[in-house]
Amino acid sequence: MNLTLKIWRQKSTNDQGKIVEYKVTDISEDMSFLEMIDVLNYDLVEKGDDPVTFDHDCREGICGMCSMFINGEAHGPNRGVTTCQLHMRSFKDGETIYIEPWRSAGFPVIKDLMVDRGAFDRIQQAGGFISVNTSGRTLDANAIPVPKEDADKSFDAATCIGCGACVATCPNGSAMLFVSAKVSQYALLPQGQVERKERVLNMVKKMDEEGFGNCSNIGACEVQCPKGISLENIARMNREYLMASIKPEN
Amino acid sequence: MAAGLFKSSITKKFWMSLTGIFLISFLVVHCAINATIFFNDGGKTFNLWAHFMGTNIIVRTMEIGLFVGLILHIVDGLMLYFQNRAARPVKYAYEKASASSTWYSRSMALLGTIILLFLIVHLYHFWLRTRITGLTIAEPEMIINGKLYENLYGEMELIFSYSWVVILYVLGCISLFWHLLHGFKSAFQSIGLNHSKYKNTIALVGDAFSIIIPAVFAAMPIAFYFKLVH
Ligand code: SF4
Ligand code: FES
């Protein structure tokens, strides 16, 4: 396949940045999207140009590092997959492909297609955990009974890989899907009850401080999320938050 | 409390939703009463109801609440709009928004603004005249059961004899339709009511509501203009 790529190039956070056009040739349709970018980067390095910077790690859809806005959609045109799991057979020979970084006030661009998703870490640190005693006499988690339905819902929420596609795709730049997945994951389990109220209050406060937009229930995040995280989680977080605001003590 | 009202993204959504549901409930009452023009009794039933709504102390008190609710809905909406724009300072060069959401869910502020513009004209036409300046028709009163009542029905007949007014009202109703189509479902999601068990019921009721209410409203100016009611 031969392709024209229009890629966002930006030297640093404060650089203006612009779209630059590149041609790649002899791309196999069995390559992943990132492998196609690797081919381009080999070319650029050979020519003595600066290769395109992008985030990636596992390349098997589980780490959440890859993050490209491809042809107007987060992680490209396919559903339920990350960029690393997107293959070139999803494109046509001769096609022009736009590749941009996640756009959000909460995700400043570091370089080219790489953005700083530290805001997600800070939201997690504000409450996305349970405090467990490590005195050596910890209770075996499997010894605590959990209703099957709750376990399933909690597990579904826990599959969020923190990639940020929800923020990137939301017309409001809202991080509600991510935060609600993290809140739900613990709110549904017995282990999450102790910090249940302060967790949701603190995580939402941090989310707002980080400059993400307000959810207006557009629902684009749910469609573009590679892990299929449901909007029901956002409704649950709204409930959790409103209840905790009315009665903050446990 | 007042400061806490809009303190977080979720409380802002909450008030948007609550005021929205309040305004929706007002639409039901407004629409039901106005639909009495279709009784074809020369506006008798309608004028009696209009008299009740204009003089009943409970209704008049709720009218103040209605304006407060409306203003809250607008202020909150504007706040959300500007904050959400700021949350994406650099726009995408290529964005395929239609792939994952409906245009009207992304255009609530625009639709709301059109509705507001319509509302200003609408309040000028009816609220101002019934509550403050008085009606403009030649015979502003009508005898029903031996008593004099304000002939609001006659005023409607006059106002809706102008084609530009009819077009404006129908446009207002169309905007309301799209606004409700997203707003109704959205209101329930914002207060945390979304569950696979009743999600489809809410969506169905919301869709039906969004079609029926604006359609009945739009039928009123059209019916007067084409003299289908008498
Ligand atoms: S909710 Fe989905 S889109 Fe958002 S960060 Fe988690 S996995 Fe990515
Ligand atoms: S590189 Fe790990 S999910 Fe794509």
Side-chain angles (χ1 to χ4, degrees), chain A residues 19 69 71-73 79 98 100-105 149 153 167-173 176 204 207-208 211-220 223-224 231-232 234-235 237-239 241-242 245, chain B residues 7-14 79-80 83-97 99-102 105-106 108 182 185-199:
Chain A
I19 298 269
F69 205 77
N71 270 353
E73 293 185 76
R79 298 289 172 254
Y98 277 82
E100 296 175 74
W102 287 171
R103 296 286 188 206
S104 159
E149 200 187 338
K153 283 185 176 162
V167 174
T169 202
C170 174
N172 304 327
M176 289 285 278
V204 169
M207 169 182 84
D208 290 345
F212 295 108
N214 303 283
C215 172
S216 63
N217 309 317
I218 290 173
V223 178
Q224 299 279 5
L231 285 184
E232 274 179 37
I234 297 187
M237 178 162 78
N238 292 340
R239 268 197 315 270
Y241 184 87
L242 294 170
S245 302
Chain B
K7 89 170 185 288
S8 80
S9 52
I10 296 184
T11 36
K12 279 194 284 268
K13 281 159 61 97
F14 175 71
M79 219 145 66
L80 290 170
Q83 284 179 355
N84 290 348
R85 274 177 60 115
R88 173 149 310 136
V90 183
K91 303 271 168 281
Y92 289 107
Y94 179 20
E95 192 172 6
K96 207 164 152 194
S100 45
S101 58
T102 58
S105 69
R106 298 191 301 270
M108 290 299 274
H182 177 67
K185 280 174 269 199
S186 184
F188 288 91
Q189 165 82 1
S190 286
I191 48 174
L193 297 176
N194 176 354
H195 192 281
S196 42
K197 283 204 196 94
Y198 47 77
K199 185 159 77 185

Side-chain angles (χ1 to χ4, degrees), chain A residues 34 56-66 82-84 161:
Chain A
L34 298 185
H56 63 108
D57 190 8
C58 70
R59 297 211 177 191
E60 50 188 16
I62 52 172
C63 76
M65 277 313 280
C66 57
T82 50
T83 301
C84 58
I161 52 176

Side-chain angles (χ1 to χ4, degrees), chain A residues 90-101:
Chain A
S90 302
F91 298 88
K92 286 193 294 287
D93 186 29
E95 201 174 331
T96 300
I97 306 173
Y98 277 82
I99 311 167
E100 296 175 74

